[in-house]
Amino acid sequence: MVKYTNEQRLQILKIYYRNSESATATLRALTPIFGRNSRPSRQAVTSLVKKFESTYSLCDVAVPVRLRVGRSVENIADFETSVANDPNQSIPRRSQELGIAKTTL
């Protein structure tokens, strides 16, 4: 999918609303600007309009980053302490003792 700049998104929205909210008329008006082969698709125009009408923003929504709960500072410190106390303890037993998944250890 092509990423459009905020200026291009604004231009697409202006043309869309100027053409009585018609996606077909918008695509015709965008052809001289973007060219026949690089203009946005009908789906891109409609999804841009839906996003704008729901968020009132042209910017991309930030995707939250998955937190790595198992690799917290507390878990690392607990693991180091556990290994220092009993270095010969098995991973399944240590996992059960610390309440951390075996794959995380």
Side-chain angles (χ1 to χ4, degrees):
M1 186 173 113
V2 178
K3 291 277 188 176
Y4 296 106
T5 63
N6 286 340
E7 291 80 18
Q8 289 173 327
R9 293 176 188 180
L10 179 62
Q11 187 176 25
I12 292 168
L13 286 171
K14 282 181 178 179
I15 292 172
Y16 177 79
Y17 287 115
R18 192 178 311 135
N19 287 313
S20 304
E21 300 181 11
S22 169
T24 306
T26 302
L27 292 175
R28 285 189 199 123
L30 290 174
T31 301
I33 299 167
F34 287 96
R36 181 177 169 93
N37 294 326
S38 60
R39 73 177 183 193
S41 64
R42 177 188 302 273
Q43 182 181 4
V45 171
T46 55
S47 65
L48 177 66
V49 170
K50 284 181 185 177
K51 185 182 128 194
F52 176 73
E53 290 176 348
S54 64
T55 63
Y56 302 108
S57 174
L58 296 174
C59 300
D60 288 327
V61 177
V63 177
V65 178
R66 183 177 68 95
L67 296 175
R68 295 185 173 253
V69 180
R71 295 182 66 177
S72 68
V73 176
E74 295 84 18
N75 284 348
I76 293 171
D78 290 343
F79 177 76
E80 288 174 347
T81 307
S82 175
V83 170
N85 291 341
D86 189 6
N88 295 327
Q89 190 176 30
S90 68
I91 291 175
R93 176 68 66 189
R94 194 179 312 276
S95 167
Q96 186 178 24
E97 194 176 87
L98 296 175
I100 301 172
K102 288 187 283 188
T103 55
T104 304
L105 288 179

